[in-house]
Amino acid sequence: MKTRNFFPWMVIAILFAGGTAARSQEAAPAADATRTVPVTTQSTVAAKAYEMGLVQREDRLFVDEGLEFFRQAVKADPQFALGHAALGYFTADPKEAKEESALAVKYIANAAPDEQLLIHWMNDTKNGETVEAISAMNDLLAKYPTDKRLANMAAEWLCANQGAFEHGEAVLVRLLKYDPQYYPATNNLAYCYALSGQAQLAPPLMDQYVAALPNEPNPQDSYGEIMRMLGDYPAALEHYNNALKINPKFNASQVGVASTYALMGDETKARAQYLVAIKGTKERSTQVNYRILWAMTYYRENKPRLAREAFEKVDTEAHAAGLTVQEAEIHRAMALFNPDAASALKDLDDAREDLSDTRKSNLLPGDRDNELALILQARAFIAVNAGKIDAAQATLKLLENMAQTNRSTPVQEAYHSANGAVLFAQGDYAGAIAELQEDPYNPLSLQLLSAAQTKAGHAADARKTLETLAAISDERVETAFAAPPARLALKHDATRPVQGGAN
């Protein structure tokens, strides 16, 4: 599995409208409620490959295998619009995503009307057209209330990409009432709970998942990831290794083992495990993603020179492969860990150049804007920490312009976070707190939120925020940068009493 904006009422209204429609369908199912969204292709080979792509990618979580089936589908029928849309939606290669999205639009007239709606939803999620995507999704859920894959895919997007946890959970709960044995939904519901701060509800669902599918690796893999999110690293390793015993080629668990060791502080072992994972996938974009995690281990063990050298090598690989987003992520990571503010801002200039007009033709607008928002957010924080308020305000203006037209969650949250950083620098701690709370899952925002709460005299709130930050256990560069200092601060503060209110 992983919308706030200038017009929050618009998105909220759409979400509630979708929920109402879904509930009315549940109360009085239509006569055709057992139908699924049509799949239109003239090739039986393409149809079978598309179905196998969904089985592998959505049901079994064999990501690489699913992508290969989708590629076979569009090879068998080059005018198979939904096949192109699915490949563009699921691939981790930004260039492939753009090419396949364009082909889906080119051949969309070949698809049935409701199938076209699904294509629009898939494309809109990648284009940053959040409101349009939610509208298409809600129309589909209302028309096909018992299409299990549709509901599961929609809920995964809501929880993992939009932060609309309550809505995503509601979709999954309804689905599981209809079919308690549709275990991909059980899996995604556990992730929704874990991501929304209700992690204690996830393990019982994982117990059901593992018991129901004892010979499948993904239940054990998901259990491992849930336990890693909960900070129980020994249990995470046990489940990841159980998955690899079931299927030694289940590469997601190999990466899980590596990342767990990285979080535990055993970076040498983590690097060795990442190299195994890199060899275990044929997807070039995935290999580079794993190489980024591999390079991050040097920052984790406080070896900045080796880290920068490693990232520069990965950057060369990403550039050669045309992986523009990954190039930008590499420069953003180097910036966050760069102790020299001027040099760090130069790193971020390089990241923005990676997404510049001369190269953005390789990217869908949503992929480009989401990454650019993270770059600008990091720039605002680095500028504020260095006392460069003019640079921070100029960066905020860029984010404000983006946020006025792009309602995607990363863009909106980055804007609020950067605004909170500028308000903090101006001494408006109450305003900073309100804005930073609009980005509740980003380690950079949590770090500054704790500082703002401390400045405002809210010591108890500041400590609670620090505890939230310290408990984050994921692979993001922002976590690697901000969570360890939070844990160290809590350790040093362990013997001091916590006081609420003004100091």
Side-chain angles (χ1 to χ4, degrees):
M1 225 181 181
K2 283 183 209 11
T3 308
R4 277 175 280 274
N5 49 62
F6 288 107
F7 311 98
W9 54 268
M10 184 180 296
V11 174
I12 291 170
I14 291 172
L15 290 174
F16 281 129
T20 302
R23 284 194 292 275
S24 65
Q25 289 286 349
E26 179 186 15
D32 61 357
T34 58
R35 290 191 309 142
T36 58
V37 177
V39 176
T40 304
T41 173
Q42 299 302 312
S43 168
T44 57
V45 173
K48 290 178 181 178
Y50 177 79
E51 171 62 21
M52 285 304 300
L54 291 175
V55 168
Q56 296 287 24
R57 173 59 181 80
E58 288 294 280
D59 297 347
R60 301 186 68 209
L61 276 295
F62 282 78
V63 176
D64 290 359
E65 291 82 350
L67 289 172
E68 279 304 309
F69 276 113
F70 290 131
R71 291 180 184 126
Q72 291 175 24
V74 297
K75 183 178 180 180
D77 180 0
Q79 297 185 21
F80 181 17
L82 184 57
H84 287 297
L87 179 53
Y89 179 76
F90 287 118
T91 183
D93 184 331
K95 183 178 180 181
E96 183 177 43
K98 173 147 191 180
E99 291 172 350
E100 295 301 320
S101 176
L103 288 169
V105 172
K106 181 178 180 180
Y107 297 116
I108 195 169
N110 297 337
D114 289 344
E115 188 179 1
Q116 292 182 19
L117 203 58
L118 179 56
I119 292 168
H120 281 303
W121 175 75
M122 288 179 169
N123 280 358
D124 289 344
T125 63
K126 303 288 284 187
N127 284 327
E129 297 171 347
T130 304
V131 172
E132 294 84 351
I134 292 174
S135 179
M137 178 196 71
N138 284 332
D139 286 347
L140 284 169
L141 290 175
K143 289 184 178 183
Y144 299 91
T146 55
D147 186 328
K148 293 180 283 190
R149 282 210 187 102
L150 171 66
N152 190 57
M153 190 187 306
E156 179 180 358
W157 177 71
L158 286 166
C159 289
N161 296 94
Q162 292 304 304
F165 301 115
E166 186 176 351
H167 191 200
E169 290 160 8
V171 171
L172 291 167
V173 167
R174 282 196 300 273
L175 171 55
L176 288 169
K177 284 182 179 178
Y178 168 72
D179 185 354
Q181 296 183 338
Y182 187 64
Y183 295 108
T186 304
N187 181 40
N188 276 337
L189 183 58
Y191 275 105
C192 276
Y193 286 145
L195 291 170
S196 66
Q198 304 177 83
Q200 73 281 0
L201 300 177
L205 292 171
M206 288 292 97
D207 288 333
Q208 295 177 30
Y209 191 27
V210 168
L213 301 172
N215 297 318
E216 284 287 319
N218 191 66
Q220 291 287 354
D221 176 79
S222 292
Y223 213 153
E225 190 164 8
I226 294 294
M227 298 313 293
R228 192 182 75 198
M229 291 169 70
L230 289 169
D232 189 341
Y233 301 138
L237 288 174
E238 179 182 357
H239 287 291
Y240 284 134
N241 284 317
N242 285 343
L244 290 169
K245 288 177 184 177
I246 295 170
N247 188 332
K249 295 183 179 180
F250 196 70
N251 214 36
S253 290
Q254 184 62 56
V255 178
V257 169
S259 291
T260 303
Y261 280 127
L263 289 164
M264 293 172 68
D266 192 339
E267 308 306 330
T268 299
K269 190 171 289 186
R271 282 192 289 273
Q273 296 297 320
Y274 279 131
L275 291 176
V276 175
I278 291 166
K279 292 179 181 178
T281 179
K282 297 178 181 178
E283 294 290 323
R284 192 73 185 103
S285 55
T286 305
Q287 290 174 350
V288 171
N289 288 340
Y290 293 167
R291 289 277 288 170
I292 291 172
L293 295 175
W294 170 85
M296 182 61 59
T297 62
Y298 289 109
Y299 278 133
R300 291 183 184 276
E301 63 181 344
N302 197 28
K303 294 180 178 178
R305 182 181 61 81
L306 291 177
R308 194 168 187 90
E309 290 175 359
F311 269 114
E312 287 172 349
K313 290 179 181 178
V314 183
D315 181 50
T316 300
E317 296 178 26
H319 184 81
L323 298 173
T324 309
V325 168
Q326 283 87 340
E327 288 183 76
E329 290 177 351
I330 288 165
H331 287 118
R332 179 163 55 86
M334 291 194 292
L336 282 175
F337 283 93
N338 193 332
D340 181 80
S343 179
L345 293 176
K346 176 61 170 61
D347 286 330
L348 292 173
D349 288 340
D350 291 340
R352 291 172 66 188
E353 178 61 25
D354 292 329
L355 304 176
S356 67
D357 290 344
T358 58
R359 303 190 59 203
K360 72 178 182 182
S361 59
N362 289 337
L363 300 175
L364 285 166
D367 290 336
R368 176 183 180 274
D369 287 353
N370 288 346
E371 180 60 30
L372 180 57
L374 293 175
I375 292 167
L376 293 175
Q377 179 183 22
R379 187 179 185 84
F381 273 71
I382 289 171
V384 164
N385 288 335
K388 298 177 180 292
I389 187 61
D390 289 343
Q393 289 175 324
T395 301
L396 175 61
K397 183 62 178 178
L398 294 174
L399 272 169
E400 182 179 6
N401 292 338
M402 287 181 65
Q404 287 177 336
T405 57
N406 187 321
R407 284 107 182 205
S408 77
T409 297
V411 171
Q412 295 299 323
E413 292 183 340
Y415 162 72
H416 286 293
S417 177
N419 194 31
V422 170
L423 290 171
F424 179 90
Q426 294 171 339
D428 183 355
Y429 303 123
I433 289 169
E435 284 292 86
L436 292 164
Q437 286 175 333
E438 291 293 309
D439 186 27
Y441 304 105
N442 188 295
L444 296 182
S445 296
L446 290 171
Q447 186 182 62
L448 195 57
L449 174 60
S450 179
Q453 289 167 330
T454 298
K455 291 282 190 180
H458 305 154
D461 289 342
R463 180 160 180 166
K464 184 177 180 181
T465 299
L466 209 59
E467 289 170 348
T468 299
L469 171 57
I472 297 176
S473 294
D474 60 34
E475 298 164 325
R476 289 176 295 171
V477 60
E478 292 86 357
T479 301
F481 175 77
R487 295 174 190 135
L488 186 62
L490 288 171
K491 183 178 179 181
H492 287 168
D493 199 43
T495 60
R496 297 176 57 187
V498 177
Q499 298 178 1
N503 289 336

